[in-house]
Amino acid sequence: MTTSTSPAAATVDPEAYLQVRDLRVQFPTEDGLVRAVDGVTFSVRRGQTLGIVGESGSGKSVTSMSILGLHNPDRTKISGEISVGGKNIVGMKEEQIRRLRGKDMAMIFQDPLSALHPYYKVGVQIAEAYKVHHPSASKKAATTRAVEMLDRVGIPQPQRRANQYPHEFSGGMRQRAMIAMALVNDPALLIADEPTTALDVTVQAQILELLEDLQREFQSAIIMITHDLGVVSQVADDVLVMYGGRPVETGSVEQIMKRPQHPYTWGLLASVPSLHGDANVDLVPIKGNPPSLINLPTGCAFNPRCRYAGQNGNRSFSEVPELRSAGEAGHQVACHMSFETRQRLYAEDIAHAGVAQ
Amino acid sequence: MTDLADSTASAATTTVPAREPLLKVEGLTKHFPVRSGGWGKASVVRAVENVSFEVRPGETLGLVGESGCGKTTTGRMLVRLLEPTSGKITFEGEDITRTKGAKLRKLRQDIQIIFQDPYASLNPRHTVGRIVAMPLQVNGIEPPGGVKKRVQELLETVGLNPEHYNRYPHEFSGGQRQRIGIARALALKPKLIVADEPVSALDVSIQAQVVNLLRQLQRDLGLSFVFIAHDLAVVRHFCERIAVMYLGRMVEIGTREQIYEKPAHPYTRALLSAVPDVTRLGSASRIKLEGDVPSPIDPPSGCVFHTRCWKAQEKCSAEAPKLLPNPNGSTSACHFPETGKLF
């Protein structure tokens, strides 16, 4: 397999709070080496939101876990560079990472019921997170801070709620409590891994709005990991589309949603039904299934599912495409097809289906 | 329920005259008795309260609403997996509310269900062939050409390789498993399929494959569907008529155009405007609902939506609105229905 994205090809904003360069995460297993993330480069400034989009197994969650240093170093091979506020996480000692976790970076998980401890009161759990970074704070001060945070994330009667257990909260309230816990130490970087997937749309709208408010207030850098293009288009400034552990397209939200260049991004847009446009047009699904990360297809990992594979002789099957400029500043795509061909195919095949309409 | 003149003339099907409803539900209600804590006070969860609708042959009806609104409970009562507390279900002119024994088994040949979770709804110890053949065996049906041939036909219909007859569910991906569930539902040539969130457990790209398959089956076989989902965009894509539920009650029902273009009930509007939309970048102006859905153990008085409704007035907490036709065309349960377009 040829090497993919060379670090030089992708752009890293030197002033960004989070800078990830050529990140590779591999898990040796009995069945073979799982290349969960294979050469990802991106950066996020404070006050900005990066959306990482992909299906199950695209490497988006593994990327976020490695930023938090949550992988067991004995069973994981990580290379590349993850710089959080100027400190490189890769290879750092667990003890040091722990000092960064919570204060410099924090995470909101998908399922708040399994992320909160069922045995402890919500207020106690938030206070504990506070005390980790403020060892001199009294128990009372920490509890006051927890109640403050619950109030800030819009939980009514925070005083009473802090004394309740997670099972007494509704799904939306639990997610708010988890956001409160993540924000209790004012982290500069917040990673949200599918934070609204388990929630109803009306609650999802509340949570997304809350995150936006909090970002304005605290100027955090946010990484929003999701498979929902609607959520991304609502909150993200920049978007990274991942497939099979590799970045396939990156650019501003406007570029990705309005002028997508990669056939996989097209597939995602054309297979999501829309609230507008002609409801009787069939969706254009992506054929087949996402690949196994142990045995990625050679060449472009998307080639077995791509309707246009083989346009350039044998290159789709033998050569891994690198991220290259897709015409506009900041817009990059990893596809062998020429810009003109892609423009033509998009207009002919994709522009009328799903949310791409 | 109103007879909506513009609802699609039923696709050509079977024995029922075109205008007769295939399925008619009147005042369907389901209460679950519960106890708070081990020795707590006995109370009742009002999961479904007085729901009425009709499904005509070849029609697709969507049931939408947030979690806990009673849409799944309604679906389960339709296939008689749950006993209704009160109300009446009529299928092809026959009251099936309390059908039992052999008659119920016969009825289940006509009404089938597709479940949400393709991992939990297939027996991991049975081969695909056995899973799909099960409905035939249970009902003692010997299809012409043999069971195996019929099963392979079915697998082909849903886009699976018929040679995978001898494989086990774990050898298939989520989307393929859902196809197996669909093949099983089709085995008895049902007239009505209740699909309970059939695509919500699947990846986006796979979702579209299964939705397209269901649409194609609906067209080719002239099936009727009750399609239960929380994803409003998927429902719009699949259903001709949509019923919106809130806290066990039906709040609005109408055609696709009526519900999505000019919904009358404030809840329908709030629900639609909460869906993040790729076509509108950034945080668009949306209707914000405060708080959570109230508990179905102790629903609010009058209109159950009044605690979260921005239009609520005194009348709303005093008197429950009836389902009535409104100026926008759909049928809604609201004292002060909205007029005009949504977007």
Side-chain angles (χ1 to χ4, degrees):
Chain A
M1 206 177 291
T2 49
T3 51
S4 56
T5 344
S6 64
T11 42
V12 169
D13 181 351
E15 284 168 31
Y17 183 76
L18 171 74
Q19 300 169 25
V20 174
R21 283 190 188 82
D22 199 27
L23 176 70
R24 282 160 209 272
V25 184
Q26 299 173 340
F27 305 104
T29 66
E30 278 176 24
D31 299 324
L33 189 64
V34 176
R35 295 168 205 274
V37 178
D38 203 19
V40 176
T41 299
F42 59 86
S43 57
V44 195
R45 279 179 181 232
R46 293 199 70 156
Q48 297 273 304
T49 303
L50 171 75
I52 302 185
V53 187
E55 296 178 273
S56 3
S58 62
K60 53 193 196 313
S61 292
V62 173
T63 305
S64 65
M65 303 264 282
S66 45
I67 295 172
L68 284 167
L70 289 176
H71 293 301
N72 184 341
D74 299 338
R75 284 188 228 129
T76 322
K77 288 203 277 190
I78 301 183
S79 69
E81 186 192 329
I82 302 171
S83 158
V84 178
K87 286 161 281 206
N88 188 5
I89 301 283
V90 177
M92 199 183 261
K93 286 219 169 57
E94 171 60 24
E95 191 47 45
Q96 285 171 290
I97 297 184
R98 198 183 353 223
R99 250 173 258 144
L100 296 180
R101 236 182 260 145
K103 205 167 171 55
D104 294 58
M105 55 204 184
M107 183 145 176
I108 302 169
F109 293 93
Q110 174 175 352
D111 181 3
L113 194 55
S114 54
L116 292 169
H117 199 297
Y119 191 73
Y120 295 100
K121 289 173 181 167
V122 172
V124 173
Q125 296 188 51
I126 298 174
E128 188 191 355
Y130 182 71
K131 285 195 77 172
V132 169
H133 291 285
H134 300 82
S136 57
S138 68
K139 200 174 163 188
K140 202 175 160 204
T143 311
T144 315
R145 171 83 180 151
V147 173
E148 243 174 62
M149 283 316 292
L150 286 176
D151 189 34
R152 181 63 199 86
V153 297
I155 291 181
Q157 304 174 305
Q159 199 81 46
R160 189 173 70 88
R161 285 300 200 158
N163 266 319
Q164 288 185 332
Y165 293 93
H167 76 264
E168 297 175 85
F169 280 50
S170 68
M173 286 296 157
R174 261 178 230 142
Q175 197 56 281
R176 283 170 194 267
M178 227 180 32
I179 293 174
M181 194 190 296
L183 293 178
V184 74
N185 293 305
D186 299 329
L189 169 67
L190 188 62
I191 301 175
D193 190 355
E194 308 257 12
T196 57
T197 306
L199 306 175
D200 280 313
V201 275
T202 55
V203 185
Q204 167 172 288
Q206 294 171 1
I207 298 286
L208 292 180
E209 202 185 344
L210 170 67
L211 281 175
E212 266 177 80
D213 279 358
L214 295 169
Q215 181 175 41
R216 231 171 286 136
E217 192 178 325
F218 298 106
Q219 282 297 304
S220 348
I222 295 185
I223 297 181
M224 175 72 77
I225 296 171
T226 178
H227 66 271
D228 189 331
L229 294 169
V231 170
V232 169
S233 62
Q234 196 192 323
V235 300
D237 299 299
D238 296 300
V239 181
L240 170 70
V241 185
M242 289 184 71
Y243 186 80
R246 294 187 190 131
V248 294
E249 185 165 2
T250 164
S252 73
V253 67
E254 167 101 25
Q255 288 164 339
I256 302 286
M257 296 298 162
K258 302 288 181 200
R259 297 180 292 282
Q261 293 290 324
H262 197 281
Y264 178 62
T265 318
W266 298 350
L268 290 178
L269 285 166
S271 57
V272 181
S274 168
L275 284 182
H276 311 280
D278 189 352
N280 286 315
V281 177
D282 263 341
L283 301 171
V284 184
I286 307 172
K287 64 181 180 185
N289 291 299
S292 148
L293 292 170
I294 294 180
N295 204 356
L296 271 188
T298 54
C300 174
F302 188 57
N303 82 60
R305 304 179 74 192
C306 184
R307 303 205 290 166
Y308 311 108
Q311 290 259 350
N312 296 300
N314 221 7
R315 283 178 70 195
S316 302
F317 312 107
S318 57
E319 192 185 325
V320 177
E322 291 187 13
L323 271 182
R324 269 186 302 258
S325 171
E328 292 171 49
H331 194 180
Q332 294 187 312
V333 62
C335 180
H336 288 307
M337 285 192 289
S338 72
F339 182 68
E340 292 71 29
T341 318
R342 287 197 301 257
Q343 294 296 87
R344 183 174 55 77
L345 292 173
Y346 182 75
E348 282 172 10
D349 295 348
I350 308 298
H352 58 84
V355 287
Q357 287 182 28
Chain B
M1 201 66 4
T2 48
D3 194 21
L4 298 156
D6 49 350
S7 81
T8 331
S10 46
T13 28
T14 60
T15 51
V16 190
R19 273 290 155 198
E20 279 292 297
L22 179 71
L23 177 82
K24 195 171 173 187
V25 175
E26 293 159 280
L28 197 63
T29 300
K30 179 73 189 174
H31 293 172
F32 292 104
V34 286
R35 227 167 244 286
S36 47
W39 294 270
K41 193 163 91 288
S43 48
V44 167
V45 174
R46 298 167 191 279
V48 177
E49 194 79 39
N50 196 13
V51 165
S52 306
F53 58 86
E54 288 177 8
V55 184
R56 280 181 278 276
E59 189 182 51
T60 47
L61 174 78
L63 279 187
V64 300
E66 296 175 279
S67 31
C69 74
K71 52 192 196 300
T72 294
T73 308
T74 305
R76 299 210 158 193
M77 284 194 281
L78 297 183
V79 288
R80 297 287 318 280
L81 287 172
L82 286 173
E83 288 298 316
T85 307
S86 66
K88 190 174 161 193
I89 308 171
T90 317
F91 184 75
E92 293 191 309
E94 203 175 320
D95 185 350
I96 60 161
T97 324
R98 308 277 170 211
T99 308
K100 282 200 183 79
K103 258 187 124 179
L104 179 61
R105 216 168 297 141
K106 186 89 180 59
L107 172 74
R108 291 223 168 105
Q109 296 186 21
D110 289 334
I111 310 179
Q112 286 284 313
I113 184 165
I114 301 169
F115 294 98
Q116 171 175 9
D117 187 348
Y119 292 84
S121 57
L122 303 178
N123 188 331
R125 289 164 184 268
H126 287 185
T127 62
V128 169
R130 194 164 164 205
I131 289 170
V132 178
M134 191 70 84
L136 298 168
Q137 278 167 2
V138 167
N139 286 285
I141 294 169
E142 188 61 43
V147 171
K148 185 172 177 189
K149 183 160 166 280
R150 172 79 181 131
V151 168
Q152 294 192 325
E153 267 171 32
L154 284 163
L155 291 178
E156 209 159 358
T157 313
V158 298
L160 291 171
N161 186 345
E163 286 164 23
H164 293 168
Y165 184 85
N166 274 323
R167 295 201 178 176
Y168 288 89
H170 75 260
E171 297 173 72
F172 293 88
S173 66
Q176 287 172 318
R177 283 179 201 224
Q178 201 54 293
R179 286 172 193 266
I180 297 169
I182 294 169
R184 175 173 62 184
L186 292 175
L188 295 168
K189 301 188 178 150
K191 292 174 181 145
L192 175 74
I193 290 184
V194 176
D196 187 2
E197 303 263 14
V199 296
S200 45
L202 307 175
D203 263 324
V204 222
S205 68
I206 311 300
Q207 231 180 44
Q209 295 175 1
V210 175
V211 169
N212 278 358
L213 169 68
L214 289 173
R215 269 166 64 114
Q216 185 205 331
L217 290 172
Q218 200 265 331
R219 278 195 297 256
D220 294 355
L221 306 175
L223 291 168
S224 301
F225 271 92
V226 174
F227 190 88
I228 300 165
H230 67 274
D231 186 330
L232 290 150
V234 171
V235 169
R236 175 175 181 270
H237 195 70
F238 189 73
C239 303
E240 294 152 355
R241 245 163 22 103
I242 290 102
V244 184
M245 291 182 70
Y246 182 77
L247 213 60
R249 282 119 180 121
M250 190 171 286
V251 296
E252 185 164 8
I253 181 165
T255 62
R256 181 192 291 154
E257 288 69 32
Q258 288 162 356
I259 297 289
Y260 286 87
E261 311 279 319
K262 33 181 195 165
H265 199 286
Y267 179 64
T268 314
R269 293 207 161 212
L271 206 55
L272 282 169
S273 86
V275 178
D277 194 342
V278 174
T279 52
R280 292 178 300 162
L281 295 181
S283 47
S285 61
R286 49 184 86 246
I287 303 165
K288 285 154 212 148
L289 286 187
E290 298 295 323
D292 286 321
V293 181
S295 158
I297 294 181
D298 185 20
S301 62
C303 172
V304 286
F305 186 57
H306 83 256
T307 51
R308 297 172 84 195
C309 184
W310 63 97
K311 294 185 87 182
Q313 300 183 20
E314 241 168 70
K315 187 182 181 188
C316 299
S317 50
E319 188 186 328
K322 289 198 175 66
L323 263 176
L324 294 169
N326 61 60
N328 266 7
S330 65
T331 304
S332 64
C334 180
H335 291 306
F336 308 102
E338 296 270 351
T339 49
K341 290 205 156 208
L342 174 59
F343 294 115

